[in-house]
Amino acid sequence: MFLVIRNLRKSFRSGERVIEVLRGVNLSIEKGKKIAIVGPSGSGKTTLLNLIGTIDMPDEGEIYFRGERIDFDNEEKLSEIRKRHIGFVFQFYHLMPELTVEENIKLPGLMVGLREIELKERLESVLRRLNLVDKRDSKIYPLSGGERQKVAIGRAIFLSPELLLADEPTGNLDPESTQEVFNIFMELSRDQGITLIVVTHNLELAKKMDKIYLLKEGILLEYEKLV
Ligand SMILES: Nc1ncnc2c1ncn2[C@@H]1O[C@H](COP(=O)(O)OP(=O)(O)OP(=O)(O)O)[C@@H](O)[C@H]1O
Ligand SMILES: [Mg+2]
């Protein structure tokens, strides 16, 4: 199994109060599958993605990724997983405004020290795939929301991660750009066999995934079994 989550728990302390956000989340995903996670605001969707993406640490439970248990104490290994194997896409893009489209996209390659020739090859292929060739030298501020999100996707897939995590990637987009971003996800899944976990409020789009899960009261449930 590509990704297995067992009994994941996570709480946050807010002053005197402890908020139990995840109360025993279980999930298994086969390689190449696409799943959607839906749930009310504050239910812990982002918290869960952050744990899967090793950005945050669980209180209890295990995550097995590519057959190996993630050791949350091994910062070097975590950073390797984040850089090499997982891509992130956020609702508000998180791009570097002072850099161009091309510079934003190839940033992960620079960070791992790819050779110039490989940087160039990957860049050309990503720009073509996302239809951003004409925008390559543009700064970020003149771009539309949809274009910005495509740049963010380009950056996320630059090092060909096996897993793509997207947190409300179309939450800030018009219907046309929403469709375009989802088409890109479907293509990445089909052509590159990328495994996809998408948090979304858009049920129409969630239905295009292989499975939908509902996060509610700290537990993840299979949506189809509920309706
Ligand atoms: N670092 C933190 N410190 C304290 N509380 C936190 C922290 N991160 C999240 N929380 C709390 O945990 C709960 C779940 O938050 P989370 O952002 O995971 O929800 P969400 O399902 O992504 O919501 P939304 O749909 O609004 O994005 C919320 O009550 C939030 O306030
Ligand atoms: Mg969230």
Side-chain angles (χ1 to χ4, degrees), residues 128-164:
R128 256 182 280 121
R129 169 180 282 276
L130 297 176
N131 208 5
L132 284 171
V133 177
D134 295 347
K135 302 280 180 193
R136 63 189 302 159
D137 295 320
S138 169
K139 283 277 184 12
I140 301 305
Y141 68 86
L143 301 181
S144 70
E147 287 165 345
R148 288 177 197 207
Q149 197 57 302
K150 288 204 293 178
V151 176
I153 294 171
R155 181 186 55 188
I157 63 169
F158 192 77
L159 293 174
S160 313
E162 297 106 305
L163 176 62
L164 189 62

Side-chain angles (χ1 to χ4, degrees), residues 11-14 17 19 21-22 39-48 50 56 91 167-168 199 201 215:
S11 304
F12 292 108
R13 191 172 289 279
S14 147
R17 265 170 22 107
I19 315 165
V21 181
L22 305 179
S41 182
S43 59
K45 303 180 299 296
T46 296
T47 302
L48 178 58
N50 287 346
D56 202 356
Q91 180 175 358
D167 195 355
E168 298 188 38
V199 166
H201 287 289
L215 186 59

Side-chain angles (χ1 to χ4, degrees), residues 57 63 68-78 81:
M57 204 189 262
I63 303 179
E68 240 182 275
R69 193 172 80 90
I70 294 180
D71 177 1
F72 282 91
D73 294 324
N74 187 341
E75 192 44 56
E76 203 177 318
K77 195 77 191 285
L78 293 180
I81 292 174

Side-chain angles (χ1 to χ4, degrees), residues 34-205:
K34 348 182 245 310
I35 69 152
I37 298 177
V38 300
S41 182
S43 59
K45 303 180 299 296
T46 296
T47 302
L48 178 58
L49 278 200
N50 287 346
L51 295 180
I52 297 172
T54 78
I55 290 175
D56 202 356
M57 204 189 262
D59 299 332
E60 263 182 59
E62 280 109 47
I63 303 179
Y64 296 83
F65 179 52
R66 305 160 73 241
E68 240 182 275
R69 193 172 80 90
I70 294 180
D71 177 1
F72 282 91
D73 294 324
N74 187 341
E75 192 44 56
E76 203 177 318
K77 195 77 191 285
L78 293 180
S79 144
E80 172 74 12
I81 292 174
R82 277 194 296 265
K83 273 194 280 192
R84 283 285 180 179
H85 303 293
I86 302 182
F88 287 93
V89 178
F90 308 92
Q91 180 175 358
F92 296 106
Y93 330 118
H94 295 307
L95 297 169
M96 305 284 258
E98 67 278 18
L99 301 182
T100 64
V101 165
E102 161 171 332
E103 288 163 346
N104 267 282
I105 290 176
K106 69 181 183 189
L107 206 54
L110 289 173
M111 305 234 293
V112 300
L114 286 194
R115 288 176 308 144
E116 193 57 43
I117 184 156
E118 197 181 345
L119 269 179
K120 188 152 174 37
E121 263 172 32
R122 283 181 180 264
L123 179 65
E124 298 307 324
S125 139
V126 169
L127 287 170
R128 256 182 280 121
R129 169 180 282 276
L130 297 176
N131 208 5
L132 284 171
V133 177
D134 295 347
K135 302 280 180 193
R136 63 189 302 159
D137 295 320
S138 169
K139 283 277 184 12
I140 301 305
Y141 68 86
L143 301 181
S144 70
E147 287 165 345
R148 288 177 197 207
Q149 197 57 302
K150 288 204 293 178
V151 176
I153 294 171
R155 181 186 55 188
I157 63 169
F158 192 77
L159 293 174
S160 313
E162 297 106 305
L163 176 62
L164 189 62
L165 303 175
D167 195 355
E168 298 188 38
T170 62
N172 207 35
L173 302 183
D174 60 57
E176 201 179 317
S177 307
T178 294
Q179 192 58 54
E180 197 180 359
V181 162
F182 256 77
N183 289 344
I184 293 168
F185 285 163
M186 301 308 253
E187 275 170 36
L188 288 170
S189 161
R190 192 192 59 211
D191 303 343
Q192 292 187 200
I194 204 163
T195 307
L196 199 59
I197 305 182
V198 185
V199 166
T200 182
H201 287 289
N202 187 329
L203 214 51
E204 277 315 299
L205 297 168

